[in-house]
């Protein structure tokens, strides 16, 4: 919730609308249904993966476009990227001072 308030400069109505839009997108996209099995074909080459933490304790999302293996599968690539982003987000610990990730 804090991120939405910051993004909307403290405007609670705008933050609420942004949060509701996010929840709607997550539901329509099927974020909670993503699984390693579902994204495996797009991840076989290691083109995107989570590693880390970096020196400041942040999770690292590493993208290696040279290892692209499914150029004609836009939806599969998007599912794979969202899955990896979700994995990186689970590594965040805002209470412990880690609220961001490093993307390389």
């Amino acid at each position: 919730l804090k991120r939405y308030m910051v993004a909307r400069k403290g405007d609670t109505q705008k933050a609420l609308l942004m949060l509701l839009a996010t929840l709607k997108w997550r539901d329509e996209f099927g974020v909670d249904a993503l699984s390693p099995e579902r994204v495996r074909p797009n991840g076989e080459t290691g083109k995107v993966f989570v590693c880390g933490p970096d020196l400041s304790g942040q999770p690292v999302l590493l993208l290696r476009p040279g290892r692209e293996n499914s150029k004609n599968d836009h939806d599969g690539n998007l599912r794979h990227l969202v899955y990896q982003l979700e994995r990186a987000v689970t590594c965040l610990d805002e209470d412990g001072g880690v609220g961001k990730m490093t993307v390389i």
Side-chain angles (χ1 to χ4, degrees):
L1 188 56
K2 178 181 172 186
R3 290 181 179 270
Y4 291 91
M5 290 297 291
V6 170
R8 293 298 171 241
K9 298 182 171 86
D11 185 320
T12 55
Q13 185 62 30
K14 288 182 180 179
L16 176 60
L17 290 173
M18 186 180 184
L19 174 60
L20 292 173
T22 298
L23 294 173
K24 180 181 178 194
W25 178 86
R26 289 178 63 86
D27 183 55
E28 291 172 355
F29 188 82
V31 173
D32 293 332
L34 293 176
S35 66
E37 295 77 25
R38 189 163 182 207
V39 301
R40 183 168 285 123
N42 291 87
E44 289 175 341
T45 61
K47 63 185 173 187
V48 179
F49 63 94
V50 178
C51 59
D54 65 10
L55 295 176
S56 62
Q58 298 177 163
V60 177
L61 181 66
L62 186 61
L63 294 90
R64 301 189 292 183
R67 295 194 176 196
E68 176 58 57
N69 63 336
S70 53
K71 293 178 182 172
N72 296 323
D73 184 11
H74 178 265
D75 291 343
N77 279 322
L78 189 55
R79 277 191 302 275
H80 181 251
L81 179 60
V82 170
Y83 174 78
Q84 295 296 347
L85 282 165
E86 287 291 304
R87 287 190 60 227
V89 167
T90 63
C91 297
L92 299 176
D93 178 13
E94 293 200 39
D95 293 335
V98 180
K100 296 181 180 181
M101 69 180 78
T102 300
V103 179
I104 300 174

